[in-house]
Amino acid sequence: MKFRIDGFVLSIIAVIGIAYIFPQWGTADSHVPIDTISAIGISLIFFFYGLKLSPSKLKAGLKNWKLHLLVQASTFLIFPLIVLAFYPLMQNAEQQTLWLAFFFLAALPSTVSSSVVMVSMAKGNIPAAIFNASISGIIGIAITPLWMGPFVQETGTDFDFTDIYTKLILQIILPVILGLFLQRFLGVLAQKYNRYLALFDKSIILLIIYKSFAGSFEENIFGAVSYLDLLILFVAVLALFYTAFFITGFVAKKLKFNTADQITAQFCGTKKSLVHGTVFSKILFGNMASIGIILLPLMIFHATQILILSIIAGIRASRPEEQEPIVEA
């Protein structure tokens, strides 16, 4: 099996390095209008997302409801509950900030493109993967802020549900609806130039990441984070992923899913969207100084989930094809 480092992961590392060397471009005094560019970019990302959604495929995907329920439960219940169990152990402000970063990761929706690609590699249920990955982003718009609200308020950050959902409606929901409305006219065009749209999405995400880390470096937020802390963070991310992966697989077997559906449940139910994470962090946390730390577990998770699931997908893909049962006359 051949593996290569994901180019987007390398781009993230490069952008963080640029933010460390040149943080002044992302500060409040900068003449570069990063916030304005990001806000417009976010709206365009979700407009294109709406263009690429197929209402007919979403409607057809509703049939396998047990699988869909498990995937969404894994994404929005199992993940947050695992992290929530550790909340009583937090003793100081630094630990609470790191816990909040993990909880934010846990409350996010699943990613779309990589979920479908991984399921395809592992010979899973591709139509179900497309349905769940697509619907997860829509559900996350409502669920993620509800999970985060009580805990963000404890940090002293101004968390106004009215303001949060107003921004979500204007920057995300309305563009998605507009995209869906125009899907019949521009959907084919969006699919044709999907590669370029994906490049645009990643460019906006990298811009938001730069802005987040530039502010954190300027405020020296990472000054107290040691190499040991980073190692512990990496181990905690792996533990979170494997715990959710095991639980989802266990439930799928108990529900007697076939192999293809088990793969889809585990692969879609344990992915977290870097796109939604960076967008939501900008809306939920604003210009909070520690936003770089808030995004750190998510970016570690993003890199590790691609590597781990690529390996698992290769193993699952090598399994013998399932034979349909022969019915004798």
Side-chain angles (χ1 to χ4, degrees), residues 15 146 164:
V15 163
L146 288 176
I164 294 298

Side-chain angles (χ1 to χ4, degrees), residues 36 76 115 214 320:
T36 302
F76 295 111
S115 289

Side-chain angles (χ1 to χ4, degrees), residues 251-293:
V251 175
K253 287 182 180 179
K254 286 295 181 182
L255 292 174
K256 298 182 179 179
F257 287 175
N258 59 36
T259 303
D261 284 355
Q262 285 182 30
I263 289 170
T264 303
Q266 287 185 290
F267 279 44
C268 291
T270 56
K271 299 295 289 292
K272 291 294 179 178
S273 173
L274 183 62
V275 173
H276 287 80
T278 48
V279 169
F280 286 2
S281 69
K282 191 173 185 301
I283 296 174
L284 297 176
F285 302 104
N287 293 318
M288 185 175 166
S290 59
I291 193 168
I293 290 183

